[in-house]
Amino acid sequence: MTLTPGTPGAIMSAEIAEQPAALERLLTRGAPAIAATAAEIRARRPRFVLLTARGTSDNAALYAKYLLEIRLGLPCGLTSMSTTTAYGAEPDLTDVLVITVSQSGGSPDLVASARAARAAGAVTLAVTNNADSPLAAACEYHIDILAGPEKALPATKTYTSSLLALYLFVAALGGDDGTEAAAGLPALADEVLARQNEVRELAGRYRFAERMVLTSRGYGYPTAKEAALKLMETSYIPALSYSGADLLHGPLAMVDNVSPVIAIVTDGKGGKALQPVLDRLLDRGADLVVIGPRRQVDAASAGFVLPVDGLPEELQPVLEILPLQLLAHEVTVARGQDPDAPRSLAKVTETH
């Protein structure tokens, strides 16, 4: 639904709605350049991958970690930037691929970390929404996610475009054409976003929640982390995200029948691994909301059925986050707040 300009949440709503077009643009215009970049990097035979990011981009980087380790068998780590920017460490990064993900490409610590990695011998790749950014200039290679200008403070379309760009890159790095498997994503995303009324009903149910818990496993885990971030930065509801395995190691004790638990259930191995967690949550009488296949939604208190039949598990996160972006928007508006401009936040976070 398009909101009148100036209405609280109008910018975020418009940018959420742009995602099918942004995904289509990346598949048609961006994929050839991504494949060419991947071919050059593949020829250099990196032995290890380090992923560097903050905030929403950090969740996209975690998704890339799953892709690289599962699809290509490349060991991956998430960078602790302060080791170089604050402590001045000088690791040997010869033959290491360092991928830095950033919407703006402007955060000083990301730029400094990328420069340090390049000086240490790494193959450096920036994945941004700004080809003219300092980060793109600091890295040897660059992938433009082509999401278009993003004006709302909460990142939406840049997140899903980052996921798809990283998927296409990893597929091409392995010598595959990822565009065929991803070709249906724009239409499926449009189908999900057309069901905003369903999400509005969920928002009415949870607008007064004092806390939320989000959980998943495998490819869905970055979605849980990103959804928690969106809920916290827009509605200010404390939202805790856990791997399903970690949830069972202690935090399960805080689950009751009052605070909702949102489970992202991918249709595949990750969803199967999460099933014992879902069973335990239901046994505890949790108010369980499922984002995933119909059979899982039907067993829960509430949920949103995703059209994922035939869609590879590794691509489902592009759809999984969409109803959760809508939920963050709708809950925030229902609470009388403006998701376009959360308090104390800036679009470019200048950490050092």
Side-chain angles (χ1 to χ4, degrees):
M1 181 181 69
T2 303
L3 299 179
T4 304
T7 303
I11 300 173
M12 183 181 179
S13 177
E15 290 174 350
I16 289 173
E18 289 174 22
Q19 288 175 105
L23 296 172
E24 183 67 35
R25 182 164 56 246
L26 190 55
L27 284 168
T28 55
R29 287 176 42 196
I34 293 173
T37 297
E40 288 192 34
I41 293 175
R42 183 172 68 248
R44 298 177 66 170
R45 301 177 63 85
R47 60 182 171 86
F48 192 88
V49 181
L50 283 173
L51 293 143
T52 307
R54 296 283 193 204
T56 284
S57 294
D58 197 38
N59 298 325
L62 179 59
Y63 167 75
K65 185 177 189 294
Y66 278 93
L67 282 172
L68 287 157
E69 291 186 339
I70 295 170
R71 288 179 62 107
L72 303 185
L74 270 173
C76 298
L78 299 175
T79 304
S80 299
M81 278 178 280
S82 61
T83 60
T84 54
T85 60
Y87 291 92
E90 297 180 353
D92 179 5
L93 299 180
T94 305
D95 298 328
V96 174
L97 171 60
V98 174
I99 303 173
T100 305
V101 186
S102 171
Q103 302 149 49
S104 68
S107 184
D109 60 346
L110 293 171
V111 176
S113 180
R115 286 174 177 157
R118 191 168 181 178
V123 179
T124 52
L125 168 66
V127 180
T128 81
N129 195 38
N130 184 0
D132 297 322
S133 63
L135 180 61
C139 292
E140 188 175 358
Y141 299 99
H142 176 252
I143 287 174
D144 190 342
I145 66 171
L146 300 175
E150 190 172 58
K151 298 178 181 179
L153 286 176
T156 53
K157 63 179 182 176
T158 52
Y159 180 68
T160 50
S161 290
S162 293
L163 295 187
L164 181 54
L166 289 163
Y167 169 81
L168 293 172
F169 171 73
V170 173
L173 196 62
D176 296 330
D177 179 9
T179 58
E180 183 176 353
L185 278 177
L188 290 172
D190 195 48
E191 179 182 334
V192 169
L193 294 176
R195 295 160 55 199
Q196 186 168 357
N197 285 340
E198 294 179 40
V199 179
R200 189 170 293 116
E201 290 181 13
L202 284 177
R205 177 174 176 146
Y206 299 118
R207 61 180 292 193
F208 297 114
E210 295 183 359
R211 180 188 66 202
M212 291 187 182
V213 176
L214 294 97
T215 188
S216 189
R217 292 203 67 180
Y219 285 113
Y221 180 43
T223 307
K225 291 174 67 67
E226 173 60 13
L229 177 60
K230 283 292 155 288
L231 285 161
M232 287 190 288
E233 70 183 358
T234 57
S235 70
Y236 318 140
I237 296 173
L240 308 173
S241 59
Y242 295 97
S243 159
D246 289 332
L247 184 62
L248 296 183
H249 285 270
L252 183 68
M254 71 176 173
V255 173
D256 53 29
N257 62 357
V258 177
S259 300
V261 178
I262 301 176
I264 296 92
V265 185
T266 52
D267 191 14
K269 293 180 179 179
K272 291 178 181 176
L274 189 64
Q275 187 60 55
V277 182
L278 301 178
D279 293 340
R280 289 284 298 277
L281 289 169
L282 290 170
D283 287 345
R284 289 185 62 83
D287 184 2
L288 180 63
V289 183
V290 166
I291 310 297
R294 177 167 295 281
R295 64 184 181 278
Q296 299 289 358
V297 172
D298 287 346
S301 307
F304 188 98
V305 178
L306 289 173
V308 295
D309 288 348
L311 187 67
E313 181 179 1
E314 59 265 34
L315 282 170
Q316 292 175 33
V318 179
L319 298 184
E320 289 168 351
I321 192 59
L322 300 179
L324 294 164
Q325 291 173 345
L326 291 173
L327 182 65
H329 177 278
E330 294 294 336
V331 166
T332 303
V333 171
R335 288 163 69 96
Q337 295 150 202
D338 185 359
D340 289 340
R343 65 193 180 205
S344 304
L345 294 184
K347 192 63 178 172
V348 180
T349 304
E350 296 196 355
T351 47
H352 294 271

